[in-house]
Amino acid sequence: MENSKKFFTRKVCIGNVEIGQNNPIRIQSMTNTKTEDIEATINQIMVLQDAGCEIVRVTAQGKKQAYALEIIKNNLIKKNYLIPIVADIHFYPPAAYIAADFVEKIRINPGNFYEKKASSKAEISDYDYEKELKEIEENLFPLIEKLKKNKKALRIGVNHGSLSDRIMKKYGNTVNAMIQSAVEYANICRKYDFHNLVFSMKTSSAFLTIQSNKALVEEMRKLKWDYPIHLGVTEAGDEEDGIIKSSIGIGSLLLEGIGDTIRFSLTEDPVKEIKPALKLVELCSKNKISFIEKSKDPFFDKIKLAAVNDEIISDKQFSMADIFYLKNRADIKEFERTKKPIIIKNNNVIGENIFSLSNITDNDLENKNHYAIEISSNDDFEKLKKLSPSYIIYKPQENRIEELQKFNLFLNESNIKIPVIALLQYDQDFEQNRILASSEIGLIIFEKMANAILLETKNDSLNLALNIFQACDLKKFKPDYISCPGCGRTLFDIQTAVKKIKEKTSHLQNIKIAIMGCIVNGLGEMQDADFGYVGSKPNKIDLYVKNQCIEKNIDEKEAVEKLISLIKLNNMWQEEKQ
């Protein structure tokens, strides 16, 4: 059993906001205005603070934007808005050095803070690797000295989509590469006795985000480090998909006690990120777990989706369910044609397909051929040792994950290998159900705690379950969209573009489309996308197929139709059924 109580981190001050140690989880966001548009940026920061945002990030891609931060900061103070500002730096170290005089924290991306362009060589020698690392140290040192002098903080923010060529040549495009990238930069800071550090490991995959942050914690424990961690799933998408994907990637970690600050990266007005982020922190704090018990049963490797018959609302959803859990026999013929497992719920009548363990008597134990047994956390598990049902439907009562883990522990110790369907009920409003169910089910799937999930909410359970399974890469019932939230670097109206692309393509299946505001993480985060739609110049779009640029500098007004033409050209288009 692995104890996973909160990963205890040191206190780091971001201006007047403390993070880490015993401080609450802090909510962050990022402006999407042009930083040099000082009035618009100030107004957006004020709206964000009023909504509950506690730290705000602003891009500073050049000297103009870095110097604008001084005016922005001074004007906010005059208006009594004291929210700490983080300058976001990519490609241009001088901007970080300038901004360090005006803001409370600098965020750098090791993949592009100071790295040479990719060479044609497939490998890198140890000599060249260390030489480049020394050059990085020489460029990072002035920033470290200024941050120490000004008592400011530094976030070492690693993005899976923008790892350096140097790192990938040595470690591959892997989670380990992300960790080594962060550790290298931290070691340089530690060499000069600078410890106001925060880490972040971000990817556009919810599960890769969980994996990379758990690997970071493992590495820090090994090194005896305790730096705070910022959590986020980058390029998570618009509100519909982004809240679920972010809840899985962030919430699963918060439930285990990992994370000190969070951000929901939605392709929306940034203020829309704050409410779900606040709700996620509240719900995960109430439902935090004390340990993770990993399943030893290989049968848990492929987790399936169960559905209640009255939640089947379309043929597409119908086909996505792996197991049907019927409340009565009325519609059994309709489901028999699928040739998928069918369980009929009739808990109190011996002779039907499912029985409640609490109602099974000693005499009933002689009949070992029950099709399914429903068990709650309050039942006597020992009875199971005398039964051999085809399925166990496990229904936790209060703390869903901990109760499910304890039941798994009993099964492992008893060497009982019967498929477990986790029946998870959420009875709050839609928004709370969406956030908490995504967090908990995401963790259950990631840690392989059940063979199947049956989600029950007040309405639309199957649709929510399908969205969670798709975000976990277990089901594909609609297109995958990777889209960044937008920032001051964004070169086109990304929110409108996402809406238009989804309107045109939502009927397609088995397709992944990446919509990226600029090239910072563009190529990396869309590496497994079928098609890419990337800002290249103001109001100009580059289109990609399988990471290869096919058309450049298309006018934004024509780009969506050009994308549709590319999809058709590559035989991935289907006409929408009327």
Side-chain angles (χ1 to χ4, degrees):
M1 187 183 298
E2 175 190 343
N3 189 331
S4 66
K5 292 178 181 176
K6 178 172 171 56
F7 176 61
F8 197 77
T9 57
R10 69 173 61 205
K11 179 176 72 176
V12 171
C13 293
I14 317 296
N16 61 343
V17 174
E18 295 180 350
I19 66 171
Q21 214 169 67
N22 289 317
N23 288 290
I25 308 297
R26 303 296 189 180
I27 307 300
Q28 294 196 26
S29 185
M30 185 173 185
T31 58
N32 63 3
T33 56
K34 298 296 182 187
T35 306
E36 59 270 31
D37 187 342
I38 289 169
E39 184 179 357
T41 303
I42 289 171
N43 288 338
Q44 192 168 80
I45 292 172
M46 291 192 297
V47 170
L48 283 167
Q49 180 176 323
D50 289 342
C53 181
E54 296 167 281
I55 301 170
V56 65
R57 187 155 47 113
V58 181
T59 191
Q61 60 265 51
K63 290 182 179 179
K64 183 199 300 184
Q65 291 80 12
Y67 281 118
L69 289 172
E70 178 182 22
I71 305 170
I72 291 167
K73 188 66 191 177
N74 288 340
N75 277 275
L76 285 168
I77 292 171
K78 288 176 184 176
K79 296 173 183 289
N80 202 31
Y81 279 81
L82 306 180
I83 185 171
I85 295 178
V86 183
D88 190 58
I89 308 296
H90 297 275
F91 301 115
Y92 194 59
Y97 189 80
I98 294 166
D101 281 328
F102 313 129
V103 300
E104 287 77 9
K105 183 166 77 170
I106 301 293
R107 181 273 174 128
I108 59 172
N109 180 345
N112 57 36
F113 177 72
Y114 178 84
E115 294 280 357
K116 291 186 175 179
K117 291 183 179 180
S119 69
S120 58
K121 295 179 181 178
E123 298 178 352
I124 186 169
S125 68
D126 290 344
Y127 173 80
D128 286 340
Y129 189 93
E130 292 301 322
K131 181 182 176 185
E132 289 190 30
L133 192 56
K134 186 65 178 175
E135 291 174 5
I136 290 168
E137 180 179 337
E138 289 169 0
N139 278 270
L140 188 57
F141 173 74
L143 177 61
I144 293 170
E145 288 296 287
K146 179 169 276 195
L147 291 171
K148 282 179 67 176
K149 176 186 173 185
N150 293 350
K151 297 182 180 179
K152 304 296 177 67
L154 177 70
R155 194 227 289 188
I156 300 172
V158 179
N159 277 80
H160 182 244
S162 52
L163 291 170
S164 72
D165 180 66
R166 174 183 62 88
I167 280 284
M168 286 199 288
K169 280 180 177 172
K170 184 166 184 176
Y171 298 103
N173 188 17
T174 62
V175 166
N176 184 42
M178 295 176 69
I179 303 306
Q180 296 305 321
S181 183
V183 168
E184 283 183 351
Y185 271 67
N187 275 329
I188 295 171
C189 294
R190 289 170 59 86
K191 178 178 177 179
Y192 297 104
D193 197 30
F194 178 64
H195 298 279
N196 283 348
L197 300 177
V198 180
F199 285 123
S200 67
M201 301 280 131
K202 289 193 174 185
T203 83
S204 60
S205 159
F207 271 16
L208 198 57
T209 298
I210 298 170
Q211 186 183 350
S212 59
N213 279 280
K214 287 167 79 74
L216 173 65
V217 168
E218 185 179 341
E219 184 70 14
M220 280 208 276
R221 282 180 170 145
K222 193 185 304 179
L223 295 169
K224 295 182 169 56
W225 291 1
D226 59 355
Y227 300 113
I229 299 172
H230 171 70
L231 301 178
V233 178
T234 191
E235 284 87 39
D238 62 5
E239 185 175 8
E240 179 187 0
D241 296 321
I243 288 177
I244 289 175
K245 189 181 281 190
S246 293
S247 295
I248 294 168
I250 301 170
S252 297
L253 292 162
L254 291 181
L255 288 169
E256 292 193 67
I258 296 171
D260 301 281
T261 68
I262 72 166
R263 182 200 174 188
F264 271 51
S265 297
L266 305 180
T267 313
E268 303 282 357
D269 184 326
V271 76
K272 287 189 176 182
E273 299 177 354
I274 307 306
K275 185 178 176 181
L278 287 166
K279 183 55 67 175
L280 179 72
V281 169
E282 177 193 339
L283 292 170
C284 288
S285 297
K286 290 178 181 176
N287 293 275
K288 192 170 289 186
I289 59 178
S290 60
F291 72 95
I292 283 291
E293 175 65 29
K294 293 190 176 180
S295 171
K296 301 180 182 67
D297 191 339
F299 197 75
F300 280 29
D301 282 350
K302 181 66 175 176
I303 296 179
K304 298 181 178 180
L305 174 64
V308 177
N309 58 320
D310 59 5
E311 283 289 346
I312 308 296
I313 57 176
S314 73
D315 288 341
K316 185 188 289 188
Q317 291 175 328
F318 182 95
S319 66
M320 286 290 128
D322 302 298
I323 300 168
F324 296 111
Y325 184 65
L326 310 188
K327 292 187 174 178
N328 56 65
R329 286 187 172 275
D331 301 319
I332 191 167
K333 288 185 179 179
E334 180 183 354
F335 293 91
E336 281 179 330
R337 66 182 170 84
T338 67
K339 302 197 181 302
K340 295 177 180 179
I342 300 170
I343 298 168
I344 300 175
K345 182 175 182 179
N346 192 344
N347 293 345
N348 301 314
V349 181
I350 300 300
E352 294 290 344
N353 284 352
I354 178 168
F355 309 96
S356 173
L357 188 66
S358 61
N359 292 331
I360 290 179
T361 65
D362 290 340
N363 290 334
D364 297 325
L365 295 176
E366 295 176 8
N367 175 14
K368 293 189 175 183
N369 297 315
H370 303 93
Y371 186 69
I373 302 291
E374 186 169 274
I375 300 173
S376 80
S377 53
N378 299 324
D379 286 333
D380 178 7
F381 298 163
E382 292 294 321
K383 287 183 180 180
L384 262 182
K385 294 179 179 179
K386 298 181 180 180
L387 297 166
S388 54
S390 299
Y391 290 93
I392 295 169
I393 297 95
Y394 183 74
K395 184 179 176 182
Q397 300 299 297
E398 295 178 5
N399 193 321
R400 284 168 285 267
I401 292 180
E402 288 209 354
E403 290 177 19
L404 182 56
Q405 290 183 106
K406 288 173 183 175
F407 182 61
N408 281 337
L409 191 58
F410 165 79
L411 295 178
N412 283 326
E413 290 174 346
S414 305
N415 198 30
I416 295 173
K417 296 185 182 295
I418 300 169
V420 175
I421 300 172
L423 171 54
L424 306 171
Q425 296 176 311
Y426 296 85
D427 58 3
Q428 302 300 313
D429 61 50
F430 172 76
E431 191 57 38
Q432 291 189 73
N433 288 340
R434 175 166 62 164
I435 290 170
L436 186 57
S438 298
S439 302
E440 293 188 336
I441 293 173
L443 183 56
I444 289 168
I445 293 173
F446 183 84
E447 296 291 355
K448 299 182 173 69
M449 298 182 198
N451 300 94
I453 303 292
L454 175 58
L455 173 63
E456 286 194 344
T457 63
K458 291 178 179 178
N459 51 49
D460 213 10
S461 301
L462 182 58
N463 190 57
L464 175 55
L466 282 169
N467 276 289
I468 293 170
F469 269 62
Q470 173 135 345
C472 294
D473 292 325
L474 289 178
K475 295 282 182 187
K476 299 295 180 190
F477 79 106
K478 64 180 185 179
D480 270 340
Y481 299 99
I482 301 171
S483 63
C484 72
C487 68
R489 295 175 180 271
T490 303
L491 298 168
F492 62 98
D493 183 352
I494 190 167
Q495 292 175 28
T496 299
V498 168
K499 287 180 172 59
K500 284 182 179 178
I501 291 170
K502 292 185 83 168
E503 284 172 5
K504 297 277 189 179
T505 63
S506 61
H507 65 288
L508 301 178
Q509 293 183 357
N510 299 317
I511 189 171
K512 181 179 281 191
I513 302 172
I515 306 122
M516 315 298 290
C518 69
I519 207 64
V520 169
N521 294 315
L523 290 176
E525 292 298 357
M526 68 179 191
Q527 56 192 298
D528 64 343
D530 298 298
F531 300 93
Y533 184 103
V534 183
S536 55
K537 295 177 181 177
N539 305 313
K540 299 291 182 181
I541 307 297
D542 287 353
L543 294 178
Y544 290 74
V545 176
K546 297 291 185 184
N547 218 21
Q548 295 295 315
C549 187
I550 303 298
E551 296 192 53
K552 297 179 71 67
N553 297 326
I554 302 166
D555 190 281
E556 180 183 0
K557 295 175 183 177
E558 303 171 3
V560 173
E561 289 304 322
K562 290 270 190 180
L563 173 65
I564 303 305
S565 297
L566 263 185
I567 295 172
K568 291 178 178 178
L569 189 64
N570 284 269
N571 299 316
M572 294 190 73
W573 182 264
Q574 302 108 33
E575 294 301 329
E576 190 169 5
K577 293 179 181 178
Q578 298 300 320

